[in-house]
Amino acid sequence: MIKGVFTALVTPFNKDGSIDIGAYKALIHIQIEQGIDGLVPVGTTGESPTLEPEEKELLIKVAAEVASGKVPVIAGTGCNVTKHAVEATKRAKDLGADMTLQVTPYYNKPSAEGLYRHFTTIAEEAGLPIVLYNVPGRSAVNMPTPLLLRLAQHPGIVAVKEASGNMCQIQDLLHVRPSEFSVLSGDDSLTLPMMICGAEGIISVASNMFPKEMVEMTHAMLDKNMEKALSVYNHLYPFFVNQFIEANPVPVKTYMANKGLLNEVFRLPLCELRPENRKILLSTFD
């Protein structure tokens, strides 16, 4: 099973808007040194909607090369066009990715049957194990428990990143999912509640900035050390809240830039935080 903390990597940019590969490699090295369990390049946190196809491939290739033999790489290759998702996933496999993160197709709002055919087609044609990504707040489509259970029967579909925010739905899934099918939180603030209910970990935004602490929290929960896990969770909780004061990944990149880890550069339509929100975010641990 997939367990622990997997960092949804931000994409650092140079001041001219190009990808800052030096900062990106440095970030990956820090993640690995701090004990992270895996890396997820080219997701929403990586500003994937604004990246060119060749840029996505570069980010996956670099992550796979730096992480080779150390931690797995789950490449974000999802798309709302099934054919394109298959092609991107095949390319990610060639570049060294170990798994693929497949978001629920956005905007075209497929039915449950359409979703099933979309994901199973990718699983059968692309050649990488799939981590599903249920994020109705961005995709406008929810994957209900019966659909997830049906998908979990496919040998090529191994886990779900659950970001529905619906704890009743998540608990239902945790009660009935196959034992080998991993459920990962897609929301840092719900990591502890979900792991208490049986989830295996988190695909995390906060671990870009706090990898060591996120590893301590999730591994403590996996080791049944609730007291330690709760202590770390309570400490980080203000950041979990403030990192979504505006759309992800603007707050976390702003915080990281303030600590000298990357440039405070985004690609439109994302832009800098409003001054009042920037003040709140940067005062999180003052």
Side-chain angles (χ1 to χ4, degrees):
M1 296 185 74
I2 302 171
K3 297 182 179 182
V5 187
F6 298 78
T7 300
L9 292 166
V10 299
T11 300
F13 295 123
N14 292 304
K15 292 185 178 180
D16 64 1
S18 61
I19 294 174
D20 186 344
I21 288 296
Y24 183 64
K25 287 182 178 179
L27 173 62
I28 293 172
H29 281 297
I30 291 170
Q31 296 291 313
I32 294 170
E33 289 165 3
Q34 295 294 319
I36 216 75
D37 296 290
L39 302 168
V40 186
V42 196
T44 306
T45 307
E47 295 176 72
S48 58
T50 69
L51 297 173
E52 299 295 333
E54 59 271 20
E55 292 178 320
K56 294 178 181 181
E57 292 184 3
L58 174 63
L59 291 165
I60 292 168
K61 180 176 182 288
V62 170
E65 288 176 349
V66 177
S68 181
K70 302 178 181 73
V71 297
V73 170
I74 307 173
T77 56
C79 185
N80 62 347
V81 180
T82 306
K83 178 183 176 181
H84 294 172
V86 169
E87 291 169 350
T89 304
K90 287 180 176 178
R91 183 61 180 148
K93 181 181 179 182
D94 292 341
L95 294 169
D98 301 286
M99 289 173 272
T100 172
L101 182 69
Q102 290 292 329
V103 68
T104 312
Y106 39 87
Y107 193 76
N108 40 15
K109 300 180 71 173
S111 66
E113 182 61 27
L115 289 170
Y116 179 79
R117 296 184 192 182
H118 171 80
F119 290 121
T120 54
T121 297
I122 298 167
E124 289 163 8
E125 295 185 10
L128 280 180
I130 288 177
V131 178
L132 303 167
Y133 182 14
N134 189 31
V135 58
R138 286 185 180 268
S139 68
V141 177
N142 177 55
M143 282 194 280
T145 299
L147 173 61
L148 285 170
L149 291 177
R150 188 181 176 198
L151 288 165
Q153 301 304 314
H154 195 289
I157 299 175
V158 299
V160 62
K161 175 185 178 183
E162 240 298 345
S164 68
N166 185 336
M167 279 302 296
C168 290
Q169 175 176 294
I170 293 166
Q171 284 180 291
D172 286 344
L173 175 63
L174 287 166
H175 279 294
V176 295
R177 53 79 186 262
S179 59
E180 70 278 5
F181 184 77
S182 296
V183 177
L184 304 172
S185 174
D187 185 336
D188 286 295
S189 66
L190 290 182
T191 306
L192 192 63
M194 283 184 60
M195 292 190 76
I196 289 171
C197 294
E200 280 72 37
I202 170 78
I203 294 180
S204 173
V205 175
S207 58
N208 280 281
M209 185 65 229
F210 300 107
K212 181 175 181 290
E213 292 86 346
M214 290 300 295
V215 168
E216 287 177 350
M217 182 182 76
T218 54
H219 286 209
M221 275 305 302
L222 291 171
D223 293 337
K224 314 277 188 210
N225 187 343
M226 179 65 183
E227 182 177 0
K228 181 178 180 181
L230 183 59
S231 175
V232 179
Y233 177 82
N234 285 338
H235 171 68
L236 289 179
Y237 187 78
F239 187 78
F240 293 161
V241 174
N242 289 341
Q243 71 177 350
F244 288 101
I245 198 166
E246 290 185 26
N248 178 53
V250 174
V252 70
K253 287 185 74 176
T254 300
Y255 199 93
M256 293 171 74
N258 185 253
K259 302 299 181 183
L261 296 173
L262 45 74
N263 295 312
E264 192 174 330
V265 179
F266 314 95
R267 285 185 177 175
L268 289 172
L270 296 181
C271 64
E272 67 278 1
L273 288 174
R274 294 192 294 273
E276 61 271 26
N277 287 338
R278 179 185 177 86
K279 182 177 179 181
I280 292 169
L281 173 73
L282 298 182
S283 66
T284 302
F285 292 121
D286 283 354

